[in-house]
């Protein structure tokens, strides 16, 4: 056991599973996550606030460089703020699709059928805007920011899916308008926009397949 003079330690709370239980548990999790899809058609039915808060709490448990925890989760639920968010995002996206997007990118997303219109930012009952927190007047210098925030977002998406909610990882381009819309200081940099809710009863998603394990995992 090691003990740092600068950082006190506590006993690790850990429950070791039997190999059989571990396999059953991880298979159940993998099967559940395999059903996760990016959804753009949301029901307007409200989502319990506690579900969102608990999912964010799970995300905030992610590891981070030097334990700086360089993330901020802005939960937007009021119709007025969601409307403002949608209008600002569509203004940027309209310019992106018309002028800034390259032909290669447009060809890549053509099968999905997306364009500058983003109604899900208004119909979803909640939108979580994730920010990276950099050094500022009241915030320390972070380390491995994108890696840390990326891990936190992965946990957030998994937690929301585990709660039976649909999500979408949306990245308007550029995203700096989100500081103004969400009233965040300049040291917070937009990372991702996540509409959250129940899927609409008639929601449809592209018929996509995922790469087999043999293509994504290498043994040595």
């Amino acid at each position: 056991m090691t003990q740092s003079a600068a950082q006190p330690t506590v006993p690790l709370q850990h429950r070791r599973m039997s190999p059989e239980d571990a396999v059953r548990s991880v298979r159940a999790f993998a099967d559940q996550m395999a059903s996760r899809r990016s959804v753009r058609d949301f029901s307007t039915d409200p989502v319990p606030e506690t579900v969102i808060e608990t999912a964010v709490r799970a995300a905030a448990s992610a590891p981070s460089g030097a334990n700086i925890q360089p993330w901020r989760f802005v939960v937007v639920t009021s119709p007025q703020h969601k409307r403002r968010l949608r209008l600002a995002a569509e203004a940027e996206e309209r310019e992106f699709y018309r002028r800034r997007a390259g032909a290669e990118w447009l060809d890549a997303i053509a099968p999905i059928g997306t364009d500058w219109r983003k109604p899900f930012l208004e119909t979803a009952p909640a939108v979580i805007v994730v920010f990276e927190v950099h050094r500022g007047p009241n915030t320390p210098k972070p380390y491995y920011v994108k890696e840390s925030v990326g891990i936190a977002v992965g946990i957030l998406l998994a937690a929301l899916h585990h709660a039976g909610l649909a999500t979408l990882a949306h990245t308007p381009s550029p995203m700096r308008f989100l500081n103004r819309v969400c009233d965040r200081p300049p040291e917070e940099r937009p990372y991702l926009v996540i509409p959250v809710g129940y899927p609409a009863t008639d929601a449809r998603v592209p018929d996509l397949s995922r790469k087999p394990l043999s293509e994504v995992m290498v043994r040595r």
Side-chain angles (χ1 to χ4, degrees):
M1 181 191 73
T2 60
Q3 181 81 24
S4 168
Q7 178 63 58
T9 64
V10 296
L12 174 66
Q13 300 296 316
H14 176 260
R15 179 177 67 88
R16 180 168 176 170
M17 293 184 179
S18 69
E20 296 79 14
D21 286 343
V23 169
R24 280 193 292 269
S25 179
V26 75
R27 278 181 175 167
F29 178 76
D31 289 344
Q32 183 182 34
M33 292 310 300
S35 68
R36 190 209 62 78
R37 297 298 303 272
S38 294
V39 171
R40 291 174 170 81
D41 300 311
F42 288 89
S43 165
T44 57
D45 292 344
V47 171
E49 185 175 318
T50 302
V51 174
I52 302 290
E53 290 179 352
T54 306
V56 171
R57 181 165 66 88
S61 73
S64 63
N67 194 39
I68 299 299
Q69 304 166 58
W71 41 63
R72 191 82 69 229
F73 303 91
V74 178
V75 180
V76 183
T77 56
S78 78
Q80 296 84 358
H81 284 89
K82 286 191 298 175
R83 177 67 176 170
R84 186 182 176 200
L85 174 59
R86 176 187 177 180
L87 292 177
E90 288 185 336
E92 294 289 353
E93 291 286 273
R94 190 181 297 110
E95 285 299 304
F96 175 76
Y97 277 88
R98 290 178 179 175
R99 305 178 193 278
R100 297 193 292 260
E104 185 177 1
W105 168 250
L106 293 176
D107 288 343
I109 63 171
I112 301 176
T114 59
D115 60 19
W116 62 267
R117 299 171 182 84
K118 309 300 175 186
F120 47 77
L121 294 175
E122 199 167 4
T123 55
V127 179
I128 303 175
V129 184
V130 185
F131 289 82
E132 304 171 0
V133 181
H134 291 259
R135 175 178 278 170
N138 301 301
T139 52
K141 177 183 177 180
Y143 302 90
Y144 302 103
V145 181
K146 292 193 179 299
E147 294 87 344
S148 301
V149 177
I151 295 170
V153 165
I155 294 174
L156 177 61
L157 294 175
L160 293 167
H161 182 69
H162 185 70
L165 297 176
T167 58
L168 173 69
H170 175 49
T171 52
S173 178
M175 291 197 285
R176 267 302 186 180
F177 74 91
L178 291 166
N179 287 76
R180 171 175 49 83
V181 173
C182 297
D183 193 25
R184 304 310 306 164
E187 63 268 21
E188 297 186 13
R189 302 178 189 173
Y191 183 86
L192 196 66
V193 178
I194 308 174
V196 181
Y198 301 105
T201 55
D202 59 348
R204 299 182 66 84
V205 294
D207 185 13
L208 304 176
S209 61
R210 294 183 171 92
K211 294 179 179 179
L213 189 61
S214 60
E215 288 189 26
V216 300
M217 188 178 80
V218 177
R219 293 184 182 275
R220 288 290 184 264

